[in-house]
Amino acid sequence: MDVSVTAPRQPAVELRRVVKSFGSNVVLRGIDLEIAEGEVCCILGPSGSGKSTLLRLINQLEPLDSGAVFVGGERCGWVERDGKLVELGPSAVAAQRQRTGMVFQRFNLFPHLTALENVSEAPMRVKRIPRAAATLRARELLASVGLADRADAYPSTLSGGQQQRVAIARALAMDPSVMLFDEPTSALDPELVGEVLDVIRGLAETGMTMVVVTHEVSFARDVADRAIFMDGGDIVEDGPAAEVLSRPQQARTKEFLARMIDGGRS
């Protein structure tokens, strides 16, 4: 008889009792959260609910006040040595950060670099990938987001949707294990939203682990495995996307979703 036991997989992302404040404003109030490998998790909530801060803590762009964040089973920003926790230095944190790709509300492309150069720059500088290999990979990624013909274009000549697609390709160029999206369509004209959501939808189909902060309720319902509603620094509701977004249990979630749908972002 085969009695071998497969070890349980580590969560792709884990937050344990995470607290974050800015001055007297408590933004996250002891968040506990696990995101499985390959899971697409959409986070919704009103402005100021802590959604973007949560992503920034996962990507180590903000320090924690207390608690712990793990990516791929490794604690972010700290390492245990001789039974004590030791804070990592900037270079070690930068190395950890490579495992998470982040796409922001604003595209943050280098204006003096072409789309191709924006995508290939970090792999060459950070990962020391040879220029030829980095350029080939950048062309492949631009093609995957529908921009093969705009490789030599500068950001100023691209639409907002095109710039955001370049930003997604740039994040993917570092081969992250987790992709973080912070309201990736909020700065776009309505007619450009769909082209960016289509790229994210395609990534979901590849099995990429993703955490997406969004107000696009219909997109979250269609693409996400899981939906989380946050308010006031707490997770108010968490469950399968179809359940949370179509049949929410909490009054605050119902109120928020009704307002979003009435506002035309269903």
Side-chain angles (χ1 to χ4, degrees):
M1 179 183 296
D2 183 2
V3 294
S4 60
V5 177
T6 302
R9 291 191 302 176
Q10 292 279 1
V13 177
E14 183 178 5
L15 283 73
R16 298 180 187 170
R17 304 302 301 164
V18 167
V19 175
K20 177 63 181 177
S21 300
F22 294 101
S24 60
N25 181 26
V26 182
V27 180
L28 294 174
R29 303 175 182 274
I31 297 294
D32 286 309
L33 177 63
E34 287 188 8
I35 297 169
E37 291 181 8
E39 187 172 42
V40 179
C41 178
C42 282
I43 303 178
L44 300 94
S47 297
S49 59
K51 310 180 302 296
S52 295
T53 299
L54 187 149
L55 291 192
R56 292 178 66 84
L57 293 178
I58 295 171
N59 204 37
Q60 301 192 67
L61 295 174
E62 297 284 353
L64 300 172
D65 290 344
S66 63
V69 175
F70 298 80
V71 175
E74 184 176 337
R75 185 165 182 163
C76 295
W78 300 82
V79 64
E80 187 173 327
R81 293 178 185 149
D82 300 325
K84 296 181 180 180
L85 280 177
V86 178
E87 190 170 6
L88 295 177
S91 61
V93 168
Q96 285 190 334
R97 192 179 289 128
Q98 292 179 36
R99 294 176 303 187
T100 54
M102 188 155 178
V103 178
F104 300 87
Q105 297 176 32
R106 297 290 174 177
F107 325 121
N108 296 332
L109 299 180
F110 296 114
H112 63 291
L113 299 181
T114 65
L116 184 69
E117 291 165 341
N118 264 283
V119 177
S120 62
E121 183 75 3
M124 288 191 296
R125 287 186 177 271
V126 178
K127 301 183 80 171
R128 304 299 182 187
I129 293 175
R131 179 177 296 275
T135 299
L136 177 61
R137 176 63 173 152
R139 289 191 184 279
E140 292 172 348
L141 288 168
L142 287 173
S144 75
V145 298
L147 292 172
D149 61 336
R150 302 310 306 273
D152 297 324
Y154 287 90
S156 62
T157 69
L158 299 174
S159 70
Q162 290 171 331
Q163 290 186 62
Q164 192 64 297
R165 284 186 279 157
V166 173
I168 293 171
R170 179 179 61 181
L172 290 170
M174 295 298 286
D175 294 318
S177 59
V178 179
M179 283 288 288
L180 309 172
F181 294 87
D182 186 8
E183 298 194 36
T185 61
S186 65
L188 300 179
D189 292 333
E191 65 269 19
L192 301 177
V193 168
E195 65 189 58
V196 173
L197 294 182
D198 283 346
V199 170
I200 300 173
R201 184 178 284 107
L203 277 178
E205 292 172 354
T206 70
M208 171 68 75
T209 306
M210 297 195 293
V211 187
V212 185
V213 169
T214 183
H215 287 297
E216 303 291 341
V217 178
S218 61
F219 168 79
R221 188 186 294 117
D222 292 344
V223 174
D225 303 301
R226 179 177 174 192
I228 290 173
F229 175 71
M230 293 185 65
D231 192 24
D234 291 314
I235 293 177
V236 175
E237 193 155 353
D238 178 0
E243 294 292 326
V244 172
L245 300 176
S246 297
R247 295 175 292 278
Q249 300 301 304
Q250 302 300 317
R252 184 66 187 91
T253 315
K254 293 177 182 178
E255 176 189 345
F256 174 82
L257 292 174
R259 189 168 67 249
M260 294 302 298
I261 292 170
D262 289 345
R265 303 191 74 169
S266 61

